[in-house]
Amino acid sequence: MLPEGDPALSETQTSLGFVLSESAWLKRKAADNASASAKAVEAERLLRDVWTNRRNTLELNDWRLSLSQSILGDAVAAAAVTEQTFDAGKQIAKLCEAESLLLEAHQRLVDMPSVAPSLRAKRIRRDMQRISRLYESWDAAEPGKGYAEKAAEWRAKLEEEATKPRGDEATKGPGDELFA
């Protein structure tokens, strides 16, 4: 567990968790599941600590809470689809947890108008990418159960979001440089 109220450590662990999670997805594409699984499990561990700490120290309307939750959901999904020791039940439970984390984080961000427009737009698009990736992976694990359609729905939302004006892109908000 992180020391309560240590934002520098929290930001560092969030960054590391993000990199590990993205690396896990890339290694999965390269069919390197053993390495992908190790990275996903470590990302989940780090990000779960960050998210727990942030839930205990930040206001519910702080964008960093939504960010931590979204990245954690992505890491949980990566672990679900790369960990070879999970039976079907455990894999589905992890995918359900990832879905809950990702959808809640996304909705929290959508309902957070106080976030700088450029930051909010980037985060919303990134959440949509993560949600789409979750459903694509879930469809591979459980074909024919509607997850391909959900992935397509989120890709369409992402395409629609990409056509919206983004606000003043030259204006940097807090955290704009992280996880854009």
Side-chain angles (χ1 to χ4, degrees):
M1 177 79 64
L2 296 172
E4 296 263 334
D6 187 342
L9 182 56
S10 184
E11 291 301 322
T12 300
Q13 288 197 289
T14 301
S15 297
L16 180 56
F18 171 78
V19 169
L20 287 168
S21 182
E22 288 299 313
S23 178
W25 285 108
L26 291 171
K27 294 223 174 249
R28 179 175 182 256
K29 280 185 181 178
D32 185 359
N33 275 345
S35 180
S37 175
K39 290 185 182 315
V41 168
E42 180 63 10
E44 181 183 350
R45 184 191 66 75
L46 283 169
L47 293 164
R48 198 170 295 281
D49 282 351
V50 170
W51 186 55
T52 299
N53 178 270
R54 285 184 170 173
R55 284 187 313 178
N56 293 330
T57 59
L58 298 176
E59 298 291 325
L60 284 177
N61 63 349
D62 192 308
W63 65 269
R64 294 172 297 173
L65 183 60
S66 173
L67 173 66
S68 300
Q69 185 173 347
S70 178
I71 298 171
L72 172 60
D74 195 50
V76 170
V81 298
T82 60
E83 180 54 59
Q84 301 297 309
T85 63
F86 289 167
D87 62 20
K90 174 84 173 189
Q91 182 184 39
I92 300 310
K94 284 286 203 181
L95 290 168
C96 288
E97 179 188 9
E99 178 184 44
S100 176
L101 288 164
L102 287 165
L103 293 176
E104 183 181 306
H106 175 70
Q107 191 59 52
R108 180 180 286 131
L109 184 60
V110 167
D111 294 341
M112 204 179 297
S114 62
V115 177
S118 63
L119 175 64
R120 188 167 179 265
K122 288 176 189 177
R123 297 286 185 265
I124 286 172
R125 287 190 304 272
R126 191 57 190 242
D127 283 352
M128 290 176 168
Q129 291 168 342
R130 289 181 180 124
I131 294 166
S132 177
R133 179 163 60 185
L134 164 72
Y135 288 131
E136 289 166 1
S137 299
W138 204 337
D139 181 61
E142 288 192 299
K145 294 199 173 183
Y147 298 110
E149 293 79 6
K150 285 184 177 188
E153 178 184 323
W154 281 97
R155 281 191 306 274
K157 288 179 183 183
L158 179 60
E159 288 174 17
E160 180 182 324
E161 186 68 28
T163 65
K164 289 182 181 178
R166 298 182 193 178
D168 184 3
E169 291 292 334
T171 304
K172 292 282 188 181
D176 267 356
E177 68 283 354
L178 296 174
F179 327 112

